[in-house]
């Protein structure tokens, strides 16, 4: 896995997404915007959220929401978890497969009928639009994300109306974030689930550096900035090392001849016999507390 390429992409993606979301925010909140006419409740919700938090926090959160969705969908496409690829073109094509299928009048059941009707109207030029394919694709993305909410609510929260309003515009060009994402999230890279963790780590790395710089200046860190400094990705081997030498160690002390030793690659056997340890007779007796 080329972590250097992942880092470059993730850092650039954060800046790009923030810029695009910020531009959409200005457009949506304009006095006579189309959004105010067509989705007044969503705009009201957006203004309320900005008032409750801040403009920058909304931009940061929405940008990461879409980054998270895009990378998850690319990983799912690469591993065959999606029946029709959502952010990945079919072989020999340039547009995402789900859009190509919709252009051929094939729209999956995961898309609500109302949205499907809008998509057909856009792609058949029955609805005026400066970018019919782009609009249709954004509708497909929202429907897909909401569809996956049932199976993975922790990853695909139902998209709030204002989050949809602030979706980045450029998703189909050769220079789009999706195109650049596919270049680094290759099929090979996506065989390792750690690619998602590394992307998150690199996405927040510049924010983390900023927070640490504030700490050095004794600047108070607000609650929304704490995750950038504390929620760090832990590579698989470190997790294995910690588990093998805590839970695994406890089991081996109670069962010195256990064959579980054969699968604990990072286990370090004690140099001297130990007598002071928790006695257990079955795995069910073990209770684990994660203070985090």
């Amino acid at each position: 896995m080329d972590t250097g390429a992942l880092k470059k992409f993730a850092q650039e993606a954060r800046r790009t997404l923030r810029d695009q979301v910020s531009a959409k925010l200005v457009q949506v909140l304009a006095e006579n915007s189309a959004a105010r006419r067509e989705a007044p409740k969503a705009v009201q919700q957006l203004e309320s959220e900005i008032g409750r938090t801040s403009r920058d926090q909304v931009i940061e959160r929405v940008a990461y929401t879409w980054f998270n969705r895009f990378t998850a969908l690319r990983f799912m496409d690469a591993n065959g978890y999606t029946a029709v690829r959502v952010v990945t073109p079919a072989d020999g094509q340039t547009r995402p497969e789900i859009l190509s299928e919709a252009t051929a009048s094939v729209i999956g059941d995961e898309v609500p009928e109302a949205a499907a009707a809008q998509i057909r109207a856009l792609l058949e030029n029955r609805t005026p639009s400066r970018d019919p394919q782009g609009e249709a694709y954004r509708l497909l993305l929202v429907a897909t994300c909401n569809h996956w909410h049932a199976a993975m609510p922790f990853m695909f929260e139902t998209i709030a109306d204002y989050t949809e309003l602030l979706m980045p515009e450029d998703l189909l060009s050769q220079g789009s974030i999706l195109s650049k994402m596919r270049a680094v999230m290759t099929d090979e890279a996506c065989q390792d689930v750690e690619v998602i963790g590394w992307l998150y780590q690199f996405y927040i790395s510049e924010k983390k550096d900023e927070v640490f710089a504030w700490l050095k200046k004794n600047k108070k860190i607000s609650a929304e900035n704490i995750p950038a400094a504390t929620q760090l990705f832990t590579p698989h081997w470190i997790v294995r090392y910690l588990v093998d030498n805590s839970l695994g160690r406890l089991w081996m002390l109670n069962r010195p001849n256990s064959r579980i030793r054969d699968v604990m690659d990072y286990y370090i056997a004690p140099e001297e016999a130990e007598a002071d340890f928790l006695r257990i007779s079955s795995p069910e007796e073990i209770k684990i507390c994660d203070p985090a």
Side-chain angles (χ1 to χ4, degrees), residues 14 60 87 113 120-121 125 127 130 194 213 222 263 266:
R14 177 174 176 265
E60 189 74 63
V87 298
E113 183 51 42
R120 293 190 193 96
N125 296 317
T127 296
R130 291 179 300 175
E194 285 195 2
S222 54
V263 297
Y266 299 94

Side-chain angles (χ1 to χ4, degrees), residues 3 29 31 36 51 54 56 62 89 95 105 129 131 139 150 166 172 174 184 186 235 260 278 286:
T3 54
L29 294 182
E31 185 175 352
R36 288 191 181 278
S54 71
D56 189 69
V62 173
R95 295 177 301 179
S105 300
S129 172
D131 181 19
L139 288 170
L166 300 180
L172 298 176
Q174 291 301 308
V184 296
T186 61
I260 198 173
L278 179 66
I286 302 174

Side-chain angles (χ1 to χ4, degrees), residues 5 18 38 41-42 49 56 73 98 120 142 148 172 174 183 199 203 214 216 219 221 237-238 241 243 247 259 279 292:
R18 280 183 55 88
E38 299 168 6
K41 289 184 179 179
E49 188 64 15
D56 189 69
L73 288 168
I98 195 171
R120 293 190 193 96
V142 170
W148 281 105
L172 298 176
Q174 291 301 308
L199 283 168
Y203 184 90
W214 292 342
K216 289 180 180 179
K219 183 177 179 180
I221 306 302
W237 73 268
I238 294 180
Y241 177 87
V243 173
L247 182 61
R259 294 177 60 185
R279 309 288 173 169

Side-chain angles (χ1 to χ4, degrees), residues 51-185:
R52 188 183 69 83
T53 56
S54 71
R55 192 184 189 95
D56 189 69
Q57 284 186 51
V58 169
I59 291 170
E60 189 74 63
R61 185 164 61 250
V62 173
Y64 178 66
T65 293
W66 284 113
F67 178 80
N68 202 32
R69 303 286 185 278
F70 295 154
T71 53
L73 288 168
R74 169 57 191 147
F75 182 85
M76 293 165 67
D77 283 352
N79 286 281
Y81 301 149
T82 49
V84 177
R85 285 168 283 192
V86 182
V87 298
T88 309
D91 295 340
Q93 301 295 316
T94 57
R95 295 177 301 179
E97 185 176 22
I98 195 171
L99 178 59
S100 295
E101 291 279 294
T103 303
S105 300
V106 179
I107 299 176
D109 294 338
E110 71 276 6
V111 181
E113 183 51 42
Q118 286 181 274
I119 292 165
R120 293 190 193 96
L122 284 163
L123 295 177
E124 294 169 6
N125 296 317
R126 290 186 284 109
T127 296
S129 172
R130 291 179 300 175
D131 181 19
Q133 292 212 359
E135 283 192 45
Y137 183 56
R138 286 191 287 276
L139 288 170
L140 288 165
L141 273 175
V142 170
T144 300
C145 290
N146 287 337
H147 167 73
W148 281 105
H149 169 74
M152 292 184 285
F154 54 88
M155 177 65 72
F156 294 98
E157 297 176 7
T158 301
I159 295 177
D161 288 341
Y162 75 84
T163 308
E164 181 179 348
L165 286 179
L166 300 180
M167 186 190 300
E169 289 281 354
D170 181 19
L171 298 176
L172 298 176
S173 76
Q174 291 301 308
S176 70
I177 186 173
L178 295 187
S179 178
K180 294 177 180 178
M181 179 185 68
R182 292 191 295 266
V184 296
M185 290 186 71

